[in-house]
Amino acid sequence: MLRLGPLTVLAGPSGSGKTSALRAYDALARLGGGAELGAVFPDPTACVPERARPDAQHRRGFRIGCTADGAAGRVHLDVAVQAEPELRIVGERLTADGVVLLETALRDPGRRAVQAAWHTAGSASVTRAPLPDDRLGTPLLPLRVAGKTDGQRRVLAAAEQMVVALRSVFPCDPRPGRMRDPVPTGSGRLLGGCDNLADVLWRTRAECGRRHAQFVTAVRAGCAGPVADVLAEPALGGTVRALLDRGDGHRTGLARLGHGELRYLALALVLFTGPGVLAVDPAGEVPAALQTLTVLADGFDRGLDVRQRAELLRLAARMCDRGHIRLVAAVADASWVAAAVGEAGAAGAAGADGAGETGGVTVVHLNP
């Protein structure tokens, strides 16, 4: 189990599981939002442990899960997925403080359904009904549970806490090669690869002057040469292109920026924005002021120099401290994290789960 804080750095060499952990988080988030199993796992056999042997029915699969703390207590979700011979959810368990609130199991392989039982605490201790085997059961509970008894209300509270915790996840891995060219104007919602960064700047620069000024200050700290502004302007064919205003009448197109500068600029923009700008599925039942966005950044420091990665981590720490964004970042080596966030010495002492606190940053060390 990996312990995640508002700002978490997963550190370890290639093959230690950093990318797998981020992909599992993203998969749970999409399932929590109601996505169909096949859309979340287009190649499910790639998720099966390499040495896993099929059972007597030639079935192989994998398990994923998470824990969410909140008003409903510590709620744990565990999901068993069958990858072979066909993709389906074969088991799901939702528990809170040791009490099983929802449990599903595949009873009849010939039916495209699992048998579900959820806590009732009324005239009957549990309610039983079939649920589909291609979607997560937890986000379906509000449609099936009436909430008339204390037990039912506890089930609903736990399910809501888990779904809200999983929603609004934004996997981000900027691709500089696609950020250099003009892009068509569109929704102004940033894609995970930040390909349409110019379109987003075209929209956001005028929406909040204070936030944009802070973004420009951050870009100034991570890009070479003077930076007076970051903006977008119309180009040919109904497209827009992003530029750095150097403040002396000269403007530099993104095509001239280095790989690290572009990744730094894109990640800084992500940290300054929110669910209304990023292409995520926000939890509609949560007021906008209380929305929390979780950014998943694999290869967080890829292509960045020492100064850029330190500036970006300090920016992430400030934004996460405000409470409206969370970041889970993967790096090969976290030896620089302590100095970047202003703490003396090496990363915090690791606990039993391999996690330690360093200046407000949770560092989780993974080993192959």
XYZ file of all heavy atoms in Angstrom, residues 120-203:
621
model
N -27.535 -3.255 5.182
C -28.846 -2.613 5.325
C -29.116 -2.223 6.770
O -29.556 -1.104 7.055
C -29.964 -3.552 4.827
O -29.703 -3.914 3.489
C -31.317 -2.853 4.903
N -28.880 -3.154 7.715
C -29.127 -2.926 9.144
C -30.581 -2.567 9.414
O -30.886 -1.791 10.307
C -28.203 -1.833 9.691
N -31.499 -3.137 8.641
C -32.929 -2.961 8.869
C -33.539 -4.288 9.249
O -32.967 -5.060 10.036
N -34.705 -4.612 8.686
C -35.326 -5.904 8.958
C -34.485 -7.047 8.420
O -34.527 -8.167 8.919
C -36.724 -5.941 8.324
O -36.643 -5.675 6.923
N -33.710 -6.776 7.366
C -32.732 -7.734 6.845
C -31.354 -7.106 6.949
O -31.192 -5.901 6.742
C -33.045 -8.086 5.394
N -30.354 -7.924 7.295
C -29.014 -7.362 7.517
C -28.367 -6.898 6.221
O -27.557 -5.968 6.223
C -28.124 -8.388 8.210
O -28.031 -9.574 7.416
N -28.703 -7.556 5.108
C -28.145 -7.167 3.819
C -29.241 -7.197 2.752
O -30.272 -7.841 2.924
C -26.989 -8.096 3.371
C -25.827 -8.017 4.337
C -27.475 -9.525 3.200
N -28.995 -6.469 1.664
C -29.863 -6.505 0.482
C -29.057 -7.108 -0.654
O -27.909 -6.725 -0.871
C -30.339 -5.095 0.098
O -31.096 -4.548 1.180
C -31.203 -5.140 -1.152
N -29.675 -8.046 -1.391
C -28.981 -8.729 -2.477
C -29.635 -8.385 -3.809
O -30.862 -8.335 -3.912
C -28.980 -10.242 -2.266
C -28.325 -10.657 -0.956
C -28.295 -12.173 -0.809
N -27.851 -12.546 0.515
C -26.572 -12.628 0.895
N -25.609 -12.366 0.009
N -26.247 -12.961 2.125
N -28.786 -8.154 -4.818
C -29.285 -7.847 -6.161
C -28.138 -8.006 -7.149
O -26.958 -7.886 -6.762
C -29.845 -6.433 -6.231
N -28.439 -8.280 -8.424
C -27.357 -8.367 -9.419
C -26.889 -6.979 -9.838
O -27.665 -6.021 -9.877
C -28.023 -9.104 -10.584
C -29.466 -8.760 -10.461
C -29.752 -8.642 -8.986
N -25.596 -6.880 -10.157
C -25.007 -5.660 -10.709
C -24.223 -6.055 -11.955
O -23.760 -7.194 -12.073
C -24.080 -4.982 -9.693
C -24.736 -4.309 -8.485
C -23.666 -3.751 -7.551
C -25.704 -3.225 -8.901
N -24.031 -5.157 -12.901
C -23.270 -5.497 -14.113
C -21.828 -5.841 -13.789
O -21.250 -5.337 -12.825
C -23.377 -4.218 -14.958
C -23.729 -3.139 -14.002
C -24.536 -3.768 -12.918
N -21.238 -6.702 -14.628
C -19.855 -7.116 -14.388
C -18.852 -6.314 -15.199
O -17.672 -6.643 -15.228
C -19.683 -8.612 -14.691
C -19.828 -8.936 -16.172
O -20.261 -8.050 -16.937
O -19.521 -10.077 -16.572
N -19.328 -5.264 -15.897
C -18.420 -4.441 -16.697
C -18.277 -3.030 -16.153
O -17.690 -2.167 -16.800
C -18.874 -4.390 -18.150
C -20.237 -3.739 -18.322
O -20.948 -3.565 -17.305
O -20.597 -3.408 -19.464
N -18.798 -2.792 -14.962
C -18.685 -1.480 -14.322
C -18.504 -1.654 -12.818
O -18.927 -2.657 -12.247
C -19.918 -0.609 -14.582
C -20.121 -0.262 -16.043
C -21.337 0.621 -16.250
N -21.620 0.798 -17.667
C -21.048 1.715 -18.442
N -20.174 2.547 -17.897
N -21.349 1.808 -19.707
N -17.889 -0.660 -12.200
C -17.714 -0.688 -10.758
C -19.068 -0.530 -10.072
O -19.905 0.271 -10.504
C -16.765 0.440 -10.346
C -16.057 0.317 -8.999
C -15.147 -0.905 -8.992
C -15.246 1.574 -8.721
N -19.291 -1.286 -9.002
C -20.568 -1.236 -8.307
C -20.709 -0.048 -7.370
O -21.813 0.471 -7.185
N -19.605 0.407 -6.784
C -19.678 1.480 -5.787
C -20.363 2.733 -6.308
O -21.245 3.270 -5.638
C -18.265 1.795 -5.269
O -17.748 0.635 -4.590
C -18.281 2.970 -4.309
N -20.031 3.271 -7.496
C -20.726 4.477 -7.960
C -22.176 4.230 -8.358
O -22.934 5.189 -8.544
C -19.897 4.909 -9.179
C -19.185 3.695 -9.629
C -18.920 2.898 -8.397
N -22.591 2.950 -8.460
C -23.982 2.646 -8.789
C -24.875 2.596 -7.548
O -26.104 2.601 -7.674
C -24.070 1.298 -9.519
C -23.324 1.187 -10.851
C -23.461 -0.225 -11.399
C -23.847 2.205 -11.855
N -24.266 2.549 -6.364
C -25.053 2.385 -5.141
C -26.088 3.493 -4.919
O -27.198 3.206 -4.467
C -24.119 2.277 -3.933
C -23.350 0.956 -3.825
C -22.400 0.991 -2.639
C -24.310 -0.216 -3.699
N -25.776 4.779 -5.185
C -26.807 5.810 -4.976
C -28.066 5.571 -5.805
O -29.139 6.090 -5.451
C -26.104 7.105 -5.396
C -24.660 6.833 -5.150
C -24.483 5.386 -5.511
N -27.971 4.794 -6.885
C -29.137 4.492 -7.710
C -29.910 3.295 -7.181
O -31.055 3.079 -7.587
C -28.706 4.210 -9.155
C -27.920 5.319 -9.861
C -27.475 4.840 -11.240
C -28.758 6.582 -9.976
N -29.286 2.514 -6.268
C -29.912 1.279 -5.805
C -30.271 1.292 -4.328
O -31.086 0.473 -3.891
C -28.959 0.096 -6.069
C -28.461 -0.019 -7.507
C -29.586 -0.303 -8.476
N -30.174 -1.608 -8.235
C -29.774 -2.738 -8.822
N -28.764 -2.706 -9.687
N -30.371 -3.885 -8.571
N -29.658 2.174 -3.552
C -29.860 2.182 -2.102
C -30.770 3.348 -1.725
O -30.493 4.504 -2.068
C -28.516 2.280 -1.356
C -28.729 2.277 0.147
C -27.609 1.125 -1.765
N -31.834 3.060 -1.005
C -32.843 4.074 -0.688
C -32.395 5.044 0.385
O -32.827 6.192 0.421
C -34.144 3.388 -0.264
N -31.555 4.593 1.298
C -31.118 5.472 2.381
C -32.146 5.616 3.485
O -32.170 6.630 4.196
N -32.981 4.602 3.687
C -34.040 4.690 4.705
C -33.569 4.275 6.090
O -34.158 4.688 7.088
C -35.225 3.812 4.285
C -35.943 4.296 3.033
C -37.112 3.386 2.695
C -37.867 3.895 1.474
N -39.009 3.012 1.122
N -32.552 3.441 6.174
C -32.055 2.973 7.471
C -30.672 3.554 7.734
O -29.997 4.043 6.827
C -31.967 1.436 7.505
O -30.920 1.008 6.611
C -33.288 0.798 7.079
N -30.244 3.458 8.999
C -28.905 3.939 9.343
C -27.846 3.181 8.552
O -26.848 3.759 8.111
C -28.661 3.769 10.841
C -29.477 4.746 11.674
O -29.938 5.762 11.111
O -29.653 4.488 12.883
N -28.081 1.866 8.375
C -27.125 1.073 7.620
C -27.032 1.512 6.173
O -25.938 1.609 5.611
N -28.176 1.771 5.553
C -28.171 2.222 4.163
C -27.502 3.580 4.022
O -26.767 3.830 3.068
C -29.600 2.278 3.636
C -30.239 0.920 3.437
C -31.675 1.030 2.966
O -32.308 2.086 3.076
N -32.219 -0.061 2.440
N -27.752 4.450 4.977
C -27.124 5.776 4.917
C -25.609 5.673 5.091
O -24.849 6.442 4.497
C -27.740 6.698 5.975
C -29.149 7.162 5.615
C -29.661 8.218 6.560
N -30.037 7.654 7.858
C -31.246 7.177 8.139
N -32.189 7.181 7.224
N -31.510 6.702 9.343
N -25.184 4.704 5.891
C -23.743 4.503 6.043
C -23.131 4.014 4.740
O -22.026 4.431 4.357
C -23.479 3.499 7.162
C -22.003 3.333 7.477
C -21.790 2.382 8.635
N -20.376 2.314 8.984
C -19.868 1.491 9.903
N -20.677 0.683 10.574
N -18.570 1.492 10.145
N -23.834 3.127 4.042
C -23.366 2.648 2.745
C -23.241 3.806 1.765
O -22.236 3.954 1.056
C -24.323 1.571 2.187
C -23.973 1.250 0.738
C -24.256 0.316 3.038
N -24.264 4.652 1.711
C -24.250 5.781 0.781
C -23.129 6.760 1.114
O -22.465 7.280 0.215
C -25.601 6.494 0.808
C -26.772 5.724 0.183
C -28.086 6.475 0.415
C -26.543 5.511 -1.303
N -22.919 7.025 2.410
C -21.857 7.960 2.809
C -20.490 7.436 2.414
O -19.639 8.184 1.917
C -21.922 8.212 4.312
N -20.270 6.127 2.606
C -18.976 5.543 2.253
C -18.767 5.545 0.743
O -17.674 5.856 0.251
C -18.882 4.120 2.798
N -19.822 5.192 -0.005
C -19.704 5.183 -1.467
C -19.436 6.583 -1.997
O -18.603 6.778 -2.887
C -20.980 4.612 -2.082
N -20.140 7.574 -1.455
C -19.933 8.955 -1.912
C -18.522 9.424 -1.592
O -17.867 10.065 -2.424
C -20.951 9.880 -1.255
C -20.802 11.331 -1.684
C -21.789 12.248 -0.986
O -21.551 12.575 0.195
O -22.787 12.613 -1.613
N -18.026 9.095 -0.407
C -16.673 9.506 -0.036
C -15.648 8.895 -0.985
O -14.707 9.579 -1.421
C -16.377 9.066 1.398
C -14.972 9.417 1.877
C -14.824 9.179 3.356
O -15.538 9.773 4.171
N -13.899 8.310 3.754
N -15.820 7.632 -1.340
C -14.872 6.978 -2.230
C -14.941 7.565 -3.640
O -13.916 7.860 -4.260
C -15.159 5.472 -2.273
C -14.245 4.687 -3.203
S -12.474 4.868 -2.804
C -12.409 4.029 -1.210
N -16.155 7.757 -4.153
C -16.302 8.267 -5.512
C -15.761 9.689 -5.628
O -15.056 10.028 -6.584
C -17.776 8.204 -5.964
C -17.966 8.930 -7.278
C -18.219 6.751 -6.101
N -16.069 10.541 -4.646
C -15.570 11.915 -4.679
C -14.044 11.933 -4.590
O -13.373 12.725 -5.257
C -16.199 12.751 -3.549
C -15.501 14.096 -3.405
C -17.685 12.960 -3.812
N -13.471 11.038 -3.778
C -12.011 10.981 -3.649
C -11.349 10.568 -4.958
O -10.234 10.997 -5.264
C -11.623 10.007 -2.540
N -12.040 9.731 -5.734
C -11.446 9.230 -6.974
C -11.650 10.158 -8.166
O -10.875 10.119 -9.119
C -12.033 7.851 -7.316
C -11.569 6.685 -6.446
C -12.333 5.424 -6.813
C -10.069 6.466 -6.600
N -12.675 10.970 -8.123
C -12.997 11.799 -9.278
C -11.994 12.939 -9.463
O -11.170 13.238 -8.610
C -14.405 12.386 -9.118
C -15.500 11.353 -9.121
C -15.907 10.949 -10.517
N -16.632 12.023 -11.176
C -17.936 12.249 -11.025
N -18.658 11.499 -10.216
N -18.522 13.230 -11.679
N -12.067 13.596 -10.594
C -11.234 14.761 -10.926
C -9.743 14.436 -10.886
O -8.956 15.093 -10.209
C -11.550 15.941 -9.995
O -12.880 16.350 -10.126
N -9.360 13.396 -11.620
C -7.953 13.020 -11.756
C -7.486 13.390 -13.158
O -8.180 13.131 -14.146
C -7.766 11.509 -11.495
C -6.390 11.042 -11.946
C -7.963 11.205 -10.018
N -6.316 14.015 -13.248
C -5.784 14.488 -14.526
C -4.392 13.925 -14.747
O -3.411 14.449 -14.220
C -5.746 16.018 -14.528
C -5.286 16.621 -15.837
C -6.067 16.528 -16.973
C -4.071 17.284 -15.930
C -5.661 17.079 -18.179
C -3.643 17.848 -17.119
C -4.451 17.738 -18.254
N -4.256 12.829 -15.514
C -2.916 12.340 -15.861
C -2.260 13.314 -16.843
O -2.848 13.663 -17.865
C -3.195 10.986 -16.531
C -4.623 10.672 -16.231
C -5.318 11.980 -16.062
N -1.052 13.749 -16.523
C -0.409 14.783 -17.335
C 1.020 14.379 -17.675
O 1.819 14.077 -16.789
C -0.404 16.103 -16.566
S 0.355 17.468 -17.465
N 1.333 14.370 -18.968
C 2.682 14.105 -19.438
C 2.915 14.981 -20.668
O 2.680 14.573 -21.805
C 2.847 12.626 -19.798
C 4.295 12.259 -20.105
O 5.178 13.127 -19.936
O 4.541 11.102 -20.505
N 3.342 16.239 -20.462
C 3.504 17.171 -21.586
C 4.406 16.631 -22.679
O 5.461 16.053 -22.407
C 4.125 18.413 -20.923
C 3.710 18.323 -19.495
C 3.702 16.861 -19.182
N 3.984 16.842 -23.927
C 4.747 16.400 -25.098
C 5.213 17.634 -25.867
O 4.470 18.176 -26.695
C 3.890 15.495 -25.968
C 3.510 14.188 -25.284
C 2.567 13.344 -26.111
N 1.233 13.911 -26.152
C 0.171 13.271 -26.647
N 0.308 12.056 -27.142
N -1.016 13.837 -26.647
N 6.427 18.099 -25.603
C 6.910 19.339 -26.234
C 6.830 19.339 -27.747
O 6.573 20.375 -28.370
C 8.362 19.429 -25.743
C 8.358 18.717 -24.433
C 7.401 17.574 -24.617
N 7.056 18.182 -28.385
C 7.031 18.136 -29.841
C 5.698 18.555 -30.430
O 5.637 19.019 -31.576
N 4.616 18.405 -29.662
C 3.285 18.773 -30.149
C 2.842 20.153 -29.651
O 1.750 20.599 -29.968
C 2.267 17.725 -29.710
C 2.587 16.330 -30.237
C 1.438 15.386 -30.026
N 1.724 14.056 -30.550
C 0.841 13.064 -30.608
N -0.389 13.266 -30.165
N 1.179 11.889 -31.088
N 3.679 20.789 -28.852
C 3.318 22.098 -28.308
C 3.910 23.242 -29.128
O 3.587 24.405 -28.889
C 3.817 22.208 -26.851
C 3.150 21.230 -25.897
S 4.066 21.035 -24.345
C 4.212 22.721 -23.802
N 4.768 22.930 -30.077
C 5.493 23.973 -30.794
C 4.689 24.605 -31.931
O 4.944 25.745 -32.313
C 6.792 23.397 -31.361
C 7.720 22.813 -30.307
C 8.984 22.233 -30.930
N 9.793 21.521 -29.955
C 10.652 22.101 -29.131
N 10.827 23.403 -29.175
N 11.349 21.376 -28.266
N 3.728 23.861 -32.471
C 2.992 24.335 -33.642
C 1.693 25.025 -33.254
O 1.129 24.767 -32.180
C 2.683 23.160 -34.572
C 3.934 22.479 -35.083
O 4.933 23.192 -35.299
O 3.914 21.240 -35.247
N 1.168 25.916 -34.122
C -0.159 26.506 -33.883
C -1.216 25.409 -33.800
O -1.089 24.348 -34.419
C -0.374 27.402 -35.107
C 1.000 27.700 -35.616
C 1.808 26.473 -35.339
N -2.266 25.648 -33.017
C -3.333 24.659 -32.829
C -4.680 25.320 -33.112
O -4.837 26.537 -32.949
C -3.323 24.082 -31.409
C -2.019 23.346 -31.144
C -3.544 25.175 -30.368
N -5.685 24.531 -33.535
C -7.020 25.106 -33.749
C -7.624 25.565 -32.434
O -7.354 24.988 -31.377
C -7.811 23.932 -34.349
C -6.787 22.937 -34.792
C -5.614 23.117 -33.895
N -8.427 26.588 -32.498
C -9.166 26.997 -31.301
C -10.245 25.967 -31.034
O -10.849 25.416 -31.948
C -9.800 28.388 -31.481
O -10.608 28.377 -32.666
C -8.734 29.453 -31.612
N -10.472 25.692 -29.762
C -11.449 24.669 -29.383
C -12.107 25.000 -28.073
O -12.480 26.150 -27.819
N -12.176 23.995 -27.194
C -12.885 24.154 -25.921
C -12.086 24.941 -24.899
O -12.636 25.414 -23.904
C -13.210 22.770 -25.345
O -12.013 22.077 -25.003
N -10.774 25.073 -25.117
C -9.944 25.741 -24.123
C -9.697 24.887 -22.898
O -9.275 25.398 -21.863
N -9.920 23.560 -22.997
C -9.656 22.629 -21.901
C -8.379 21.862 -22.218
O -8.263 21.219 -23.255
C -10.841 21.685 -21.695
C -12.061 22.390 -21.123
C -13.292 21.512 -21.178
N -13.182 20.329 -20.337
C -13.446 20.305 -19.031
N -13.837 21.419 -18.415
N -13.355 19.193 -18.341
N -7.430 21.937 -21.310
C -6.097 21.395 -21.547
C -6.114 19.877 -21.591
O -6.663 19.216 -20.708
C -5.135 21.876 -20.453
C -3.649 21.604 -20.680
C -3.149 22.391 -21.878
C -2.849 21.976 -19.431
N -5.479 19.301 -22.617
C -5.359 17.861 -22.763
C -4.177 17.345 -21.947
O -3.284 18.104 -21.564
C -5.177 17.500 -24.236
C -6.285 17.971 -25.185
C -5.913 17.643 -26.627
C -7.621 17.345 -24.813
N -4.173 16.031 -21.692
C -3.126 15.448 -20.857
C -1.732 15.619 -21.412
O -0.763 15.718 -20.651
N -1.590 15.660 -22.742
C -0.283 15.869 -23.338
C 0.070 17.327 -23.524
O 1.169 17.651 -23.992
N -0.857 18.225 -23.151
C -0.680 19.683 -23.273
C -0.446 20.112 -24.713
O 0.137 21.179 -24.959
C 0.457 20.182 -22.369
S 0.212 19.791 -20.622
N -0.919 19.295 -25.679
C -0.758 19.642 -27.089
C -1.411 20.983 -27.414
O -0.927 21.742 -28.255
C -1.389 18.572 -27.983
C -0.961 17.160 -27.623
O -0.518 16.943 -26.488
O -1.069 16.299 -28.500
N -2.561 21.251 -26.784
C -3.346 22.450 -27.091
C -3.093 23.578 -26.112
O -3.990 24.378 -25.813
C -4.836 22.106 -27.118
C -5.343 21.621 -25.763
O -4.574 21.074 -24.965
N -6.619 21.795 -25.502
N -1.875 23.685 -25.614
C -1.540 24.720 -24.631
C -1.855 26.122 -25.153
O -2.344 26.972 -24.410
C -0.067 24.592 -24.253
C 0.456 25.534 -23.173
C 1.439 24.797 -22.273
C 1.149 26.746 -23.793
N -1.598 26.392 -26.432
C -1.865 27.726 -26.988
C -3.344 28.062 -26.924
O -3.726 29.202 -26.601
C -1.367 27.794 -28.430
N -4.211 27.090 -27.194
C -5.658 27.318 -27.130
C -6.098 27.632 -25.710
O -6.968 28.480 -25.484
C -6.388 26.083 -27.658
C -7.902 26.232 -27.627
O -8.398 27.335 -27.947
O -8.587 25.264 -27.286
N -5.478 26.964 -24.730
C -5.818 27.214 -23.329
C -5.372 28.616 -22.914
O -6.106 29.346 -22.233
C -5.185 26.142 -22.422
C -5.444 26.450 -20.951
C -5.751 24.764 -22.771
N -4.169 29.018 -23.309
C -3.705 30.371 -23.003
C -4.601 31.423 -23.651
O -4.860 32.485 -23.065
C -2.262 30.549 -23.476
C -1.175 29.877 -22.641
C 0.171 30.002 -23.331
C -1.123 30.481 -21.245
N -5.074 31.141 -24.853
C -5.985 32.053 -25.551
C -7.236 32.311 -24.713
O -7.770 33.415 -24.687
C -6.339 31.445 -26.901
C -7.300 32.211 -27.748
C -8.616 31.936 -27.937
C -7.017 33.386 -28.513
N -9.179 32.854 -28.781
C -8.214 33.764 -29.161
C -5.879 34.159 -28.731
C -8.310 34.876 -29.995
C -5.969 35.252 -29.568
C -7.157 35.607 -30.190
N -7.674 31.263 -24.007
C -8.870 31.380 -23.171
C -8.585 31.961 -21.784
O -9.290 32.843 -21.313
C -9.500 29.992 -23.001
C -10.581 29.957 -21.935
C -10.942 28.544 -21.520
N -11.726 28.542 -20.303
C -12.091 27.457 -19.652
N -11.749 26.266 -20.110
N -12.805 27.548 -18.539
